[in-house]
Amino acid sequence: MDICYYGHSCFTLSSGGYTLAIDPYDDHVDGYPPLRIAANSVYCSHQHFDHCYVQAVDITEKGGDPFTVEEYEVPHDDAGGSRRGMNLIRVFRAEGKKIIHFGDTGCMPSDDILNALGNADIAMIPVGGFFTIDASMAKEILDVIKPSAAVPMHYRQGDVGLRQIAELKDFLDITKEADYRVVSLGYKETLSI
């Protein structure tokens, strides 16, 4: 399976010739070039401009989707969703692999959800704070669910990314001794698992 990062919280997962896109953003995310993705399906964690711009995805319908998907609704903020609404954490499974995309999770998920997320191969998790959990809470969640690898997302690097959110360095600094591998992907960089 291939995981390609398009910046912010946008990824594609590809397996067996089938590609799904996750959380495409529009042109308001600072510093990223206009997004264009070819995929067979698209998933959005919530309906904010930086996660649901499906117009950036050229959909080609194709049978034989190898992915199964589980969804867990969590607040987008630390006030039960009253400020920013709700968000979907999704678990994608294919080829015997378990991949979690946290979307814009804004608080610690319940124990039941954390138990369901345990033992993933990859956890794609926001680390920039302000709109989502910050680096410290991301680490706290990862320490509980114990993925094989964590892929940070929803952060800023210099002038690239939303101005209000923290840089990736904060997360990398606190996870140097983590029990899981941290894989920081560059724009359009692919991880094969």
Side-chain angles (χ1 to χ4, degrees):
M1 182 186 310
D2 289 333
I3 300 169
C4 185
Y5 184 48
Y6 286 84
H8 201 50
S9 296
C10 183
F11 294 83
T12 57
L13 303 181
S14 299
S15 176
Y18 190 97
T19 298
L20 59 85
I22 308 168
D23 280 13
Y25 52 83
D26 76 5
D27 297 342
H28 291 93
V29 180
D30 300 326
Y32 288 113
L35 187 63
R36 270 311 343 134
I37 298 175
N40 305 114
S41 59
V42 62
Y43 291 86
C44 300
S45 62
H46 61 291
Q47 296 301 306
H48 291 166
F49 73 93
D50 55 333
H51 294 266
C52 72
Y53 190 61
V54 297
Q55 297 89 330
V57 183
D58 298 320
I59 300 287
T60 302
E61 291 190 24
K62 179 179 182 174
D65 181 351
F67 293 95
T68 61
V69 184
E70 301 160 26
E71 298 178 341
Y72 301 93
E73 189 174 57
V74 296
H76 187 326
D77 53 53
D78 60 2
S82 65
R83 289 197 307 266
R84 294 191 183 94
M86 299 302 283
N87 169 75
L88 289 174
I89 296 173
R90 286 199 173 90
V91 177
F92 298 93
R93 296 178 193 263
E95 300 178 25
K97 304 291 185 186
K98 180 178 180 179
I99 313 301
I100 304 169
H101 187 279
F102 276 84
D104 267 10
T105 296
C107 62
M108 177 66 77
S110 69
D111 288 345
D112 287 345
I113 292 175
L114 290 172
N115 287 336
L117 300 178
N119 300 311
D121 294 283
I122 301 289
M124 299 177 283
I125 192 162
V127 301
F130 195 82
F131 300 109
T132 68
I133 57 174
D134 61 11
S136 178
M137 185 166 287
K139 182 183 183 304
E140 192 176 335
I141 291 169
L142 294 167
D143 288 346
V144 171
I145 67 171
K146 300 182 186 326
S148 296
V151 177
M153 64 179 190
H154 209 278
Y155 56 82
R156 180 174 49 82
Q157 284 198 288
D159 292 335
V160 178
L162 298 176
R163 280 173 269 139
Q164 301 94 328
I165 60 181
E167 297 215 10
L168 176 60
K169 181 183 182 309
D170 298 344
F171 178 73
L172 297 179
D173 286 347
I174 65 171
T175 55
K176 287 179 182 171
E177 304 296 322
D179 293 335
Y180 43 85
R181 186 169 54 112
V182 174
V183 181
S184 175
L185 296 175
Y187 180 74
K188 288 193 176 180
E189 187 175 352
T190 298
L191 171 66
S192 295
I193 61 167

PDB file of all heavy atoms in Angstrom, residues 139 142-143 146-149 175-182:
ATOM      1  N   LYS A 139       0.955  13.345  20.996  1.00  0.00           N
ATOM      2  CA  LYS A 139       1.859  12.353  21.591  1.00  0.00           C
ATOM      3  C   LYS A 139       1.134  11.533  22.650  1.00  0.00           C
ATOM      4  O   LYS A 139       1.306  10.301  22.722  1.00  0.00           O
ATOM      5  CB  LYS A 139       3.089  13.020  22.193  1.00  0.00           C
ATOM      6  CG  LYS A 139       4.072  12.015  22.784  1.00  0.00           C
ATOM      7  CD  LYS A 139       5.255  12.689  23.431  1.00  0.00           C
ATOM      8  CE  LYS A 139       6.268  11.684  23.950  1.00  0.00           C
ATOM      9  NZ  LYS A 139       5.735  10.693  24.879  1.00  0.00           N
ATOM     10  N   LEU A 142      -0.985   8.997  20.847  1.00  0.00           N
ATOM     11  CA  LEU A 142      -0.135   7.974  20.233  1.00  0.00           C
ATOM     12  C   LEU A 142       0.456   7.033  21.274  1.00  0.00           C
ATOM     13  O   LEU A 142       0.586   5.828  21.030  1.00  0.00           O
ATOM     14  CB  LEU A 142       0.966   8.638  19.413  1.00  0.00           C
ATOM     15  CG  LEU A 142       0.485   9.412  18.183  1.00  0.00           C
ATOM     16  CD1 LEU A 142       1.611  10.277  17.630  1.00  0.00           C
ATOM     17  CD2 LEU A 142      -0.071   8.475  17.124  1.00  0.00           C
ATOM     18  N   ASP A 143       0.808   7.565  22.433  1.00  0.00           N
ATOM     19  CA  ASP A 143       1.342   6.726  23.505  1.00  0.00           C
ATOM     20  C   ASP A 143       0.313   5.704  23.998  1.00  0.00           C
ATOM     21  O   ASP A 143       0.676   4.633  24.477  1.00  0.00           O
ATOM     22  CB  ASP A 143       1.823   7.582  24.674  1.00  0.00           C
ATOM     23  CG  ASP A 143       3.108   8.348  24.376  1.00  0.00           C
ATOM     24  OD1 ASP A 143       3.785   8.033  23.370  1.00  0.00           O
ATOM     25  OD2 ASP A 143       3.430   9.273  25.148  1.00  0.00           O
ATOM     26  N   LYS A 146      -0.493   3.244  20.475  1.00  0.00           N
ATOM     27  CA  LYS A 146       0.713   2.514  20.090  1.00  0.00           C
ATOM     28  C   LYS A 146       0.736   2.041  18.626  1.00  0.00           C
ATOM     29  O   LYS A 146       0.813   0.842  18.343  1.00  0.00           O
ATOM     30  CB  LYS A 146       0.914   1.317  21.015  1.00  0.00           C
ATOM     31  CG  LYS A 146       1.061   1.702  22.474  1.00  0.00           C
ATOM     32  CD  LYS A 146       1.316   0.508  23.343  1.00  0.00           C
ATOM     33  CE  LYS A 146       1.338   0.802  24.813  1.00  0.00           C
ATOM     34  NZ  LYS A 146       1.854   2.048  25.286  1.00  0.00           N
ATOM     35  N   PRO A 147       0.706   2.975  17.677  1.00  0.00           N
ATOM     36  CA  PRO A 147       0.827   2.564  16.271  1.00  0.00           C
ATOM     37  C   PRO A 147       2.272   2.139  15.980  1.00  0.00           C
ATOM     38  O   PRO A 147       3.184   2.438  16.747  1.00  0.00           O
ATOM     39  CB  PRO A 147       0.486   3.850  15.514  1.00  0.00           C
ATOM     40  CG  PRO A 147       0.982   4.935  16.429  1.00  0.00           C
ATOM     41  CD  PRO A 147       0.689   4.428  17.826  1.00  0.00           C
ATOM     42  N   SER A 148       2.461   1.475  14.869  1.00  0.00           N
ATOM     43  CA  SER A 148       3.833   1.178  14.445  1.00  0.00           C
ATOM     44  C   SER A 148       4.538   2.458  14.011  1.00  0.00           C
ATOM     45  O   SER A 148       5.728   2.628  14.257  1.00  0.00           O
ATOM     46  CB  SER A 148       3.827   0.173  13.285  1.00  0.00           C
ATOM     47  OG  SER A 148       3.296  -1.051  13.720  1.00  0.00           O
ATOM     48  N   ALA A 149       3.778   3.355  13.360  1.00  0.00           N
ATOM     49  CA  ALA A 149       4.360   4.622  12.902  1.00  0.00           C
ATOM     50  C   ALA A 149       3.318   5.725  12.971  1.00  0.00           C
ATOM     51  O   ALA A 149       2.126   5.484  12.792  1.00  0.00           O
ATOM     52  CB  ALA A 149       4.895   4.486  11.486  1.00  0.00           C
ATOM     53  N   THR A 175       8.864  13.718  20.391  1.00  0.00           N
ATOM     54  CA  THR A 175       8.689  12.295  20.055  1.00  0.00           C
ATOM     55  C   THR A 175      10.008  11.602  19.719  1.00  0.00           C
ATOM     56  O   THR A 175      10.003  10.489  19.198  1.00  0.00           O
ATOM     57  CB  THR A 175       7.701  12.119  18.888  1.00  0.00           C
ATOM     58  OG1 THR A 175       8.153  12.896  17.768  1.00  0.00           O
ATOM     59  CG2 THR A 175       6.291  12.548  19.284  1.00  0.00           C
ATOM     60  N   LYS A 176      11.115  12.219  20.035  1.00  0.00           N
ATOM     61  CA  LYS A 176      12.421  11.617  19.716  1.00  0.00           C
ATOM     62  C   LYS A 176      12.614  10.255  20.380  1.00  0.00           C
ATOM     63  O   LYS A 176      13.271   9.385  19.832  1.00  0.00           O
ATOM     64  CB  LYS A 176      13.553  12.561  20.130  1.00  0.00           C
ATOM     65  CG  LYS A 176      13.681  13.759  19.227  1.00  0.00           C
ATOM     66  CD  LYS A 176      14.797  14.670  19.684  1.00  0.00           C
ATOM     67  CE  LYS A 176      14.863  15.879  18.769  1.00  0.00           C
ATOM     68  NZ  LYS A 176      15.779  16.894  19.266  1.00  0.00           N
ATOM     69  N   GLU A 177      12.056  10.081  21.567  1.00  0.00           N
ATOM     70  CA  GLU A 177      12.224   8.829  22.317  1.00  0.00           C
ATOM     71  C   GLU A 177      10.962   7.961  22.283  1.00  0.00           C
ATOM     72  O   GLU A 177      10.813   7.047  23.100  1.00  0.00           O
ATOM     73  CB  GLU A 177      12.583   9.139  23.775  1.00  0.00           C
ATOM     74  CG  GLU A 177      13.816  10.011  23.950  1.00  0.00           C
ATOM     75  CD  GLU A 177      15.086   9.347  23.447  1.00  0.00           C
ATOM     76  OE1 GLU A 177      15.221   8.119  23.635  1.00  0.00           O
ATOM     77  OE2 GLU A 177      15.925  10.047  22.857  1.00  0.00           O
ATOM     78  N   ALA A 178      10.056   8.213  21.349  1.00  0.00           N
ATOM     79  CA  ALA A 178       8.787   7.482  21.305  1.00  0.00           C
ATOM     80  C   ALA A 178       9.000   6.012  20.945  1.00  0.00           C
ATOM     81  O   ALA A 178       9.992   5.650  20.304  1.00  0.00           O
ATOM     82  CB  ALA A 178       7.853   8.141  20.288  1.00  0.00           C
ATOM     83  N   ASP A 179       8.049   5.190  21.347  1.00  0.00           N
ATOM     84  CA  ASP A 179       8.088   3.757  21.044  1.00  0.00           C
ATOM     85  C   ASP A 179       7.654   3.450  19.611  1.00  0.00           C
ATOM     86  O   ASP A 179       7.723   2.308  19.183  1.00  0.00           O
ATOM     87  CB  ASP A 179       7.180   2.989  22.010  1.00  0.00           C
ATOM     88  CG  ASP A 179       7.702   3.020  23.428  1.00  0.00           C
ATOM     89  OD1 ASP A 179       8.921   3.189  23.614  1.00  0.00           O
ATOM     90  OD2 ASP A 179       6.881   2.876  24.351  1.00  0.00           O
ATOM     91  N   TYR A 180       7.152   4.430  18.900  1.00  0.00           N
ATOM     92  CA  TYR A 180       6.720   4.277  17.516  1.00  0.00           C
ATOM     93  C   TYR A 180       7.645   5.125  16.644  1.00  0.00           C
ATOM     94  O   TYR A 180       8.292   6.067  17.101  1.00  0.00           O
ATOM     95  CB  TYR A 180       5.260   4.732  17.346  1.00  0.00           C
ATOM     96  CG  TYR A 180       4.964   6.015  18.092  1.00  0.00           C
ATOM     97  CD1 TYR A 180       5.226   7.257  17.521  1.00  0.00           C
ATOM     98  CD2 TYR A 180       4.451   5.980  19.385  1.00  0.00           C
ATOM     99  CE1 TYR A 180       4.999   8.427  18.223  1.00  0.00           C
ATOM    100  CE2 TYR A 180       4.213   7.146  20.088  1.00  0.00           C
ATOM    101  CZ  TYR A 180       4.490   8.354  19.506  1.00  0.00           C
ATOM    102  OH  TYR A 180       4.275   9.512  20.191  1.00  0.00           O
ATOM    103  N   ARG A 181       7.668   4.786  15.389  1.00  0.00           N
ATOM    104  CA  ARG A 181       8.477   5.532  14.425  1.00  0.00           C
ATOM    105  C   ARG A 181       7.678   6.760  13.978  1.00  0.00           C
ATOM    106  O   ARG A 181       6.481   6.669  13.743  1.00  0.00           O
ATOM    107  CB  ARG A 181       8.761   4.607  13.239  1.00  0.00           C
ATOM    108  CG  ARG A 181       9.689   5.132  12.203  1.00  0.00           C
ATOM    109  CD  ARG A 181      10.084   4.011  11.227  1.00  0.00           C
ATOM    110  NE  ARG A 181       8.936   3.348  10.656  1.00  0.00           N
ATOM    111  CZ  ARG A 181       8.579   3.427   9.378  1.00  0.00           C
ATOM    112  NH1 ARG A 181       9.299   4.123   8.528  1.00  0.00           N
ATOM    113  NH2 ARG A 181       7.523   2.786   8.939  1.00  0.00           N
ATOM    114  N   VAL A 182       8.322   7.900  13.864  1.00  0.00           N
ATOM    115  CA  VAL A 182       7.689   9.107  13.335  1.00  0.00           C
ATOM    116  C   VAL A 182       8.192   9.299  11.909  1.00  0.00           C
ATOM    117  O   VAL A 182       9.397   9.356  11.669  1.00  0.00           O
ATOM    118  CB  VAL A 182       8.002  10.350  14.189  1.00  0.00           C
ATOM    119  CG1 VAL A 182       7.442  11.611  13.536  1.00  0.00           C
ATOM    120  CG2 VAL A 182       7.433  10.180  15.590  1.00  0.00           C
TER     121      VAL A 182
END
